[in-house]
């Protein structure tokens, strides 16, 4: 609501946020591909999503001035994310508790399996 | 050149049904956030579908992402969009300082970066069309042959194809790839149009004499485009 608050930050501050975003992009890449063997398999997805959420938070909070906007605007944004999270959890959770991952059923499968 | 008095009138101008200019601005911001929340709900189901099929066809998705999506291009586009988000912040800052020409310059920089993003996407898309990496019945890649071709690079990535169930769900991966990146690309094009319109208004000197709400709101739209890509990048290109 208080717009003057956003003006306290100069361009240098926003440039710092940009550098953090670029560094986090590098971190996502490195943990997913370069050091992937040091990260347990179960942690790959949560780690990448956590980094993405932190990046999204930086963009929303500072670049989009959510820190200076009315609380109700924050509520809408967070609520929309919660609804997506709810939908995803229920649908994927349902699949994970009932269905196995796909069984091979394409013609070339045996060939691939038999390859050295 | 507008006199200071005229400028002051412009800055406090507001529609009759608002108490004052600040009230109008808050209403505009509120409306924009409502719209952005809807945009999140538009992309949400696509990411949900991706999460579901990635669970069902885990190995195929991992294989196609590692071998047929170019992480270098994905990373370049991530950097391009992050920098373009920053140039939009610069435009908003210039608008608050009433430096209309600089608003225009910053927006042109943003549009150039957005153009760069689309050029990279164009190369990615044509490459996939060429290889037959398309949704549904248009998926024409011979997967078994393809896996044999990429045996070396798979081992380098620490993947053992002999232990992977590659095959089912391949066309689904590209259906979701084109849906998510296509809808996102459409947003990039629309964003370029909106920011272009703002740049024209900025070069006319409009933001030297009126409030910066239009620049701020179109900037919010552009940030959302960046925000969505922040999730597209790891889910499609890395995981």
């Amino acid at each position: 609501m208080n717009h003057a608050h956003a003006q306290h930050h100069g361009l240098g501050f926003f440039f710092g946020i940009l550098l953090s975003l670029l560094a986090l992009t590098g971190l996502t890449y490195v943990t997913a591909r370069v050091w992937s063997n040091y990260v347990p398999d179960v942690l790959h997805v949560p780690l990448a999503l956590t980094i993405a959420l932190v990046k999204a938070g930086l963009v929303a909070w500072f670049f989009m001035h959510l820190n200076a906007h009315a609380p109700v605007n924050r509520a809408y944004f967070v609520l929309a994310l919660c609804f997506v999270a709810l939908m995803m959890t229920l649908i994927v959770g349902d699949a994970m508790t009932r269905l196995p991952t796909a069984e091979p059923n394409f013609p070339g499968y045996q060939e691939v399996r038999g390859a050295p | 050149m507008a006199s200071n008095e005229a400028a002051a009138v412009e800055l406090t101008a507001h529609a009759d049904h608002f108490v004052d200019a600040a009230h109008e601005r808050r209403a505009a911001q509120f409306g924009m956030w409502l719209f952005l929340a809807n945009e999140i709900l538009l992309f949400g189901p696509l990411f949900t579908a991706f999460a579901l099929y990635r669970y069902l066809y885990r190995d195929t998705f991992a294989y196609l992402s590692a071998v047929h999506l170019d992480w270098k291009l994905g990373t370049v586009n991530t950097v391009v969009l992050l920098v373009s988000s920053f140039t939009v912040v610069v435009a908003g800052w210039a608008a608050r300082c009433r430096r209309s020409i600089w608003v225009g310059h910053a927006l042109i920089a943003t549009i150039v970066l957005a153009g760069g993003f689309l050029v990279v996407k164009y190369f990615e898309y044509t490459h996939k069309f060429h290889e037959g990496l398309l949704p549904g019945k248009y998926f024409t890649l011979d997967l078994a042959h393809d896996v044999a071709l990429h045996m070396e690079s798979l081992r380098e990535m620490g993947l053992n194809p002999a232990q992977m169930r590659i095959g089912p769900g391949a066309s689904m991966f590209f259906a979701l790839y084109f849906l998510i990146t296509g809808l996102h690309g459409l947003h990039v094009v629309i964003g370029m149009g909106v920011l272009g319109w703002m740049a024209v208004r900025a070069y006319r000197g409009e933001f030297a004499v009126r409030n910066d709400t239009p620049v701020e709101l179109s900037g919010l739209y552009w940030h959302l485009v960046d925000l969505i890509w922040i999730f597209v990048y790891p889910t499609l290109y890395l995981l």
Side-chain angles (χ1 to χ4, degrees):
Chain A
M1 205 173 274
N2 174 18
H3 184 67
H5 183 79
Q7 286 170 316
H8 284 234
H9 298 305
L11 282 184
F13 174 82
F14 290 118
F15 190 70
I17 298 290
L18 172 67
L19 292 183
S20 325
L21 288 167
L22 294 175
L24 286 168
T25 304
L27 185 67
T28 323
Y29 170 71
V30 165
T31 51
R33 285 287 149 91
V34 183
W35 297 337
S36 58
N37 292 337
Y38 303 101
V39 181
D41 275 353
V42 287
L43 287 183
H44 273 139
V45 175
L47 185 64
L49 285 184
T50 306
I51 297 173
L53 277 171
V54 172
K55 284 167 74 184
L58 287 174
V59 171
W61 197 247
F62 296 112
F63 280 7
M64 297 170 96
H65 303 305
L66 213 48
N67 58 344
H69 277 190
V72 69
N73 295 357
R74 271 171 238 166
Y76 266 120
F77 188 64
V78 172
L79 213 60
L81 288 175
C82 288
F83 283 142
V84 171
L86 181 69
M87 173 169 60
M88 205 177 272
T89 312
L90 290 178
I91 290 176
V92 179
D94 172 54
M96 288 178 92
T97 49
R98 291 191 306 117
L99 306 170
T101 50
E103 287 305 319
N105 60 3
F106 88 113
Y109 177 73
Q110 286 305 326
E111 207 177 315
V112 174
R113 182 97 192 173
Chain B
M1 197 70 199
S3 71
N4 283 343
E5 229 169 76
V9 170
E10 280 276 355
L11 286 171
T12 55
H14 57 89
D16 288 343
H17 50 279
F18 293 110
V19 176
D20 55 20
H23 182 209
E24 186 178 59
R25 183 192 181 83
R26 283 200 300 278
Q29 288 173 342
F30 177 68
M32 191 64 196
W33 278 105
L34 257 183
F35 171 67
L36 297 184
N38 275 295
E39 288 276 12
I40 290 169
L41 296 179
L42 172 68
F43 277 91
L46 290 176
F47 281 102
T48 305
F50 188 88
L52 175 63
Y53 285 103
R54 192 196 170 278
Y55 165 72
L56 291 176
Y57 305 127
R58 189 187 55 202
D59 293 351
T60 310
F61 272 41
Y63 172 77
L64 290 172
S65 167
V67 169
H68 287 289
L69 291 195
D70 192 337
W71 68 266
K72 290 189 198 98
L73 296 182
T75 310
V76 166
N77 265 351
T78 306
V79 171
V80 165
L81 276 194
L82 288 175
V83 174
S84 79
S85 238
F86 174 71
T87 55
V88 160
V89 168
V90 173
W93 174 82
R96 280 197 295 283
C97 302
R98 319 229 174 279
R99 295 178 188 169
S100 202
I101 301 305
W102 281 99
V103 175
H105 293 344
L107 291 178
I108 292 298
T110 311
I111 292 166
V112 168
L113 288 164
F117 177 90
L118 289 180
V119 167
V120 171
K121 266 272 67 77
Y122 167 79
F123 284 118
E124 285 192 271
Y125 274 15
T126 46
H127 186 65
K128 281 171 189 59
F129 293 159
H130 185 71
E131 293 201 310
L133 299 166
L134 292 164
K137 65 176 178 179
Y138 302 103
F139 183 86
T140 52
L141 185 79
D142 180 353
L143 259 181
H145 178 64
D146 192 60
V147 172
L149 276 180
H150 293 98
M151 216 56 106
E152 273 306 308
S153 52
L154 281 173
R155 286 215 190 83
E156 278 167 22
M157 280 183 273
L159 296 172
N160 183 2
Q163 289 174 354
M164 291 170 79
R165 290 179 287 190
I166 300 167
S171 65
M172 200 63 211
F173 179 84
F174 286 100
L176 289 165
Y177 169 81
F178 281 110
L179 266 175
I180 294 174
T181 59
L183 188 64
H184 179 268
L186 181 67
H187 279 75
V188 171
V189 173
I190 295 171
M192 286 170 83
V194 172
L195 295 179
W197 175 41
M198 287 302 137
V200 169
R201 291 173 66 174
Y203 283 125
R204 282 185 196 149
E206 239 184 78
F207 300 116
V209 291
R210 64 154 294 166
N211 67 58
D212 61 307
T213 309
V215 178
E216 193 199 8
L217 298 193
S218 32
L220 284 181
Y221 183 80
W222 190 256
H223 290 309
L224 188 89
V225 171
D226 182 34
L227 211 68
I228 289 160
W229 186 262
I230 284 174
F231 288 96
V232 172
Y233 170 64
T235 48
L236 285 181
Y237 288 87
L238 295 181
L239 292 177

